[in-house]
Amino acid sequence: MTTGKSSSEWIDIEKKYYAQTVRRQPVVIVRGEGARVWDADGKEYLDFVAGWAVNQLGHSHPAITQAIAEQAGTLLQTSNQFYTVPQLQLAEMLVENSCLDLVFFGNSGAEAVEGAMKLARRYGKLHRDGAYEIITAFNSFHGRTQATVAATGQPHYQENFAPLLPGFVHVDYNDVEGVMNATSDRTAAVMVEPVQGEAGVIIPDDDYLQRLRQWCDSQGILLILDEVQTGMGRLGSLFGYQEYEVEPDVMTLAKGLGYGVPIGAFLSKAHCQALVPGDHGSTFGGNALTTAAGYAGTKFLIENDIPGHVKQMEPYLLGRLNDVKDRFSFVTEVRGKGLLAAMDFDDAISGQVLANCNEAGLLLNGPRPNTIRFMPPLNTTPAEIDEAVGRLEEALAKI
Ligand SMILES: *Cc1c(COP(=O)(O)O)cnc(C)c1O
């Protein structure tokens, strides 16, 4: 596909016209198919970023493109004063396949978390004598809006935007005693990620979520699981909580829920649904286009047991990455769950590794200066994993 300009010409245009808020890798992607993308110069890459754990079925999957094309020619946007069918089909599918009872759709992960936190505050007002605090974890990531930045336990996302929204207490991830000590009569909810994605794929202790669940039950506070990154099959079950045998009161979804279109959702159990008409809304939230894509993709995911495929690919991907670790002494650790994996180095070289990977034809992401992350499409194959690992080794050999 030709765009009339080279990658470097497009990058110059970006520097001139686009707000410089994101550190980008110098790759101008013009087309994608399955696990592969092509840049404006015609170079091919294996895409193990997948739109940031979004493209669960890869690029241009026929089930998604067909649903989008059909819906685009039928109905896009109506406002939520009216009912639309794809929104209700996706809502029914998510509820019938989860432990939650009710859904609200927004447009992004941050918006999903905002909704979940509004629900928690409303719940606190109704059932906990005005409790409003939410306990979250250090090194968490919950989004970039003012409220979700306050929830996020990473000072470098917060410092430039103080004063922060009050009502958040941070404790270490995996530290249940920390949560216990931080709980007071102001506490409305505890919110954590089943696996911390942006922190560099931090896997919880086996009993962490279960112990949090017990604590929340004993205190009458809500357990919110932010599954924006771990939901929709990423960890090897449709939802991450299923891997840890706990049921959240509230769950957020986004990223993988849209298969490439922007959508988010928060789901809740009936007992904690404290929001009433007028409390919350969204102009675009759950519109016919995004929910038609979400419905088609989720139907495909479930009918083809893509989470089961992820479970099979997990040991394969981790095995291959551990082979790499054995070959390069500066690789210190490999970890992951499902098709969310990370590799640590003994030094802050992830930027250099990513640049070398780009050259070798592999797209990855570096959540930490010494960590790179792998989040391929969920329907990736052993052959694609082999090819990606080959390109990774080529990149590491030049370090
Ligand atoms: C990405 C992410 C968000 C924010 O989602 P956006 O769509 O970027 O607003 C929130 N929570 C978690 C766990 C995420 O990984």
Side-chain angles (χ1 to χ4, degrees):
M1 190 181 137
T2 169
T3 61
K5 286 188 174 61
S6 69
S7 291
S8 69
E9 286 169 316
W10 284 116
I11 288 168
D12 287 343
I13 289 174
E14 193 263 3
K15 289 217 160 36
K16 182 163 178 205
Y17 294 107
Y18 204 87
Q20 299 293 301
T21 70
V22 178
R23 276 181 221 98
R24 303 196 204 232
Q25 300 185 41
V27 181
V28 181
I29 301 174
V30 296
R31 186 169 75 81
E33 198 183 311
R36 285 167 210 277
V37 295
W38 287 263
D39 74 11
D41 304 326
K43 181 176 158 73
E44 174 261 345
Y45 304 81
L46 274 164
D47 179 9
F48 274 34
V49 177
W52 221 303
V54 165
N55 304 316
Q56 308 299 68
L57 301 175
H59 294 276
S60 309
H61 190 281
I64 308 300
T65 55
Q66 197 188 331
I68 292 173
E70 272 173 22
Q71 195 59 45
T74 307
L75 185 73
L76 290 180
Q77 162 80 7
T78 60
S79 102
N80 280 310
Q81 291 177 87
F82 309 107
Y83 302 88
T84 59
V85 173
Q87 181 184 93
L88 303 176
Q89 287 176 314
L90 180 58
E92 180 180 25
M93 180 164 274
L94 292 175
V95 167
E96 292 300 332
N97 287 284
S98 74
C99 67
L100 290 314
D101 299 311
L102 296 161
V103 186
F104 180 90
F105 292 116
N107 305 287
S108 68
E111 216 184 314
V113 175
E114 290 264 352
M117 297 192 307
K118 277 179 77 176
L119 189 154
R121 285 194 170 190
R122 196 80 178 81
Y123 178 88
K125 267 197 201 332
L126 283 175
H127 302 297
R128 295 260 308 156
D129 204 19
Y132 60 90
E133 268 180 10
I134 299 176
I135 301 172
T136 69
F138 286 119
N139 290 319
S140 60
F141 184 82
H142 298 295
R144 304 290 208 137
T145 60
Q146 283 287 159
T148 57
V149 157
T152 290
Q154 302 196 48
H156 72 105
Y157 287 125
Q158 301 176 326
E159 280 154 358
N160 293 336
F161 304 101
L164 299 175
L165 184 77
F168 295 94
V169 182
H170 297 104
V171 301
D172 285 339
Y173 192 66
N174 255 334
D175 180 6
V176 181
E177 281 70 31
V179 169
M180 291 174 172
N181 293 332
T183 301
S184 73
D185 55 10
R186 294 185 302 277
T187 309
V190 176
M191 177 168 72
V192 295
E193 299 155 83
V195 167
Q196 286 191 323
E198 300 306 302
V201 190
I202 308 302
I203 317 279
D205 294 341
D206 288 342
D207 63 350
Y208 174 58
L209 295 176
Q210 289 177 12
R211 290 182 63 206
L212 280 185
R213 175 72 274 174
Q214 284 161 12
W215 177 249
C216 289
D217 284 342
S218 74
Q219 301 297 304
I221 56 185
L222 299 180
L223 178 62
I224 305 172
L225 291 184
D226 182 352
E227 294 235 23
V228 167
Q229 188 157 153
T230 55
M232 310 317 293
R234 180 59 55 186
L235 299 188
S237 291
L238 188 56
F239 305 109
Y241 73 78
Q242 294 165 327
E243 289 289 308
Y244 295 101
E245 289 164 28
V246 289
E247 295 194 355
D249 299 299
V250 182
M251 169 173 77
T252 57
L253 297 172
K255 297 200 164 92
L257 179 59
Y259 307 86
V261 303
I263 187 170
F266 65 94
L267 290 85
S268 57
K269 291 211 173 191
H271 79 87
C272 63
Q273 183 36 264
L275 298 169
V276 298
D279 272 354
H280 197 56
S282 168
T283 298
F284 293 121
N287 94 355
L289 180 72
T290 57
T291 50
Y295 177 64
T298 305
K299 192 161 179 281
F300 188 96
L301 209 70
I302 292 170
E303 284 177 357
N304 293 279
D305 190 20
I306 301 294
H309 175 73
V310 171
K311 261 207 162 60
Q312 287 177 351
M313 289 302 100
E314 173 189 318
Y316 194 76
L317 175 65
L318 292 178
R320 293 305 320 268
L321 294 179
N322 273 306
D323 293 344
V324 174
K325 175 175 170 258
D326 292 343
R327 240 163 272 158
F328 294 90
S329 60
F330 54 89
V331 176
T332 53
E333 190 179 306
V334 166
R335 61 183 171 273
K337 187 155 182 69
L339 285 173
L340 186 61
M343 176 177 277
D344 286 347
F345 305 115
D346 64 4
D347 205 353
I349 56 168
S350 67
Q352 187 55 49
V353 171
L354 295 182
N356 293 0
C357 283
N358 290 344
E359 211 180 298
L362 174 64
L363 302 184
L364 296 175
N365 150 269
R368 285 283 178 272
N370 64 335
T371 304
I372 57 172
R373 179 170 42 166
F374 306 79
M375 35 193 172
L378 302 186
N379 56 356
T380 195
T381 61
E384 286 166 349
I385 291 173
D386 287 344
E387 212 178 332
V389 167
R391 294 179 187 190
L392 174 66
E393 288 184 326
E394 200 182 313
L396 295 179
K398 291 187 187 144
I399 291 292

